[in-house]
Amino acid sequence: MSHITLVRHGQANTEARDEKSYDRLSALGHLQAQWLGSYLQDTRAHHTRVYSGSLTRHLETAASMGLSDPVVDPRFNEIEYFTLAQLLEEQHGVPIPVEREGFAVHLPQVFEAWRAGEIANPPESFADFEKRVTDALKEIARGDGPAIVVTSGALISMVMRQAMGLELDTMARLALAIMNTSMHRLFPIGDRLSPVLFNAVPHLELPDRHHAQTHM
């Protein structure tokens, strides 16, 4: 079993309110990814296998990091949060926040309604999301050599939920806490992958880069 490092994509379009508009990196997002790539190079981090979700922001992050020819796997794509939020509003009258602070309350509501099957015709079921994450990680873990995966925040929070048995509300709070281009590592301990690193941004710790420690 090999260790896996998950990387959240760089900052995307923070003004977006739909999936398509959100799916591109901002100028800062590209810079965050470049800094992370330089950090990995400088510290001689070794990854024999490179994976990425298929979303534009994943591929742009991998390219700006200098990760060439990743294996593109849509199982590492983000949930369609904006779509789920719009369905929840249409079907149950739960308004979509207009201020960033409102997402701290809204995201757990979306997750709970989604898992409970209270959102009709979602892009995928909560169970299907959970299964694709499990299957993808198990497949990579069976391979040889350390792997790095460029993905998204909610998916990383699901990985942590599965690894640590977290309640859904805790998973939602983790998703909100995950920073852009943060690293999260799973290491084989016994017959399971266990978290040994969470939300690490050493490439953004210099004083003149603190402004680049973004969550959205």
Side-chain angles (χ1 to χ4, degrees), residues 5-168:
T5 300
L6 303 168
V7 174
R8 187 192 176 196
H9 61 79
Q11 184 191 61
N13 177 17
T14 60
E15 302 302 317
R17 292 297 179 268
D18 61 76
E19 306 297 337
K20 184 176 180 180
S21 299
Y22 182 70
D23 193 24
R24 64 178 186 270
L25 292 192
S26 67
L28 178 59
H30 281 288
L31 188 56
Q32 291 166 330
Q34 290 167 15
W35 282 334
L36 176 55
S38 295
Y39 171 82
L40 294 174
Q41 203 168 43
D42 291 345
T43 56
R44 298 178 183 174
H46 180 59
H47 300 99
T48 59
R49 297 174 295 146
V50 179
Y51 298 85
S52 171
S54 64
L55 298 175
T56 298
R57 59 190 183 271
H58 298 153
L59 299 173
E60 289 182 342
T61 298
S64 289
M65 288 175 64
L67 301 176
S68 59
D69 299 321
V71 175
V72 178
D73 189 337
R75 291 179 297 179
F76 289 111
N77 285 358
E78 181 61 295
I79 65 171
E80 292 189 27
Y81 167 73
F82 290 111
T83 302
L84 291 168
Q86 288 162 3
L87 290 172
L88 187 64
E89 183 173 45
E90 292 167 4
Q91 297 171 16
H92 299 283
V94 178
I96 300 173
V98 294
E99 300 292 335
R100 292 184 183 182
E101 292 73 16
F103 288 100
V105 175
H106 189 255
L107 187 63
Q109 290 179 310
V110 172
F111 277 13
E112 188 55 56
W114 184 30
R115 181 179 66 169
E118 296 170 357
I119 299 176
N121 301 314
E124 67 178 331
S125 70
F126 186 88
D128 285 346
F129 172 52
E130 194 163 27
K131 184 177 186 302
R132 70 170 160 97
V133 174
T134 301
D135 291 348
L137 281 181
K138 284 183 176 178
E139 185 177 309
I140 291 178
R142 287 195 295 266
D144 294 326
I148 189 167
V149 181
V150 179
T151 182
S152 290
L155 189 139
I156 294 169
S157 71
M158 173 58 82
V159 171
M160 294 300 166
R161 166 182 161 85
Q162 294 173 347
M164 303 178 71
L166 302 178
E167 297 293 336
L168 192 64

Side-chain angles (χ1 to χ4, degrees), residues 1 187-194:
M1 190 180 291
F187 198 84
I189 299 176
D191 61 352
R192 297 188 62 182
L193 289 170
S194 298

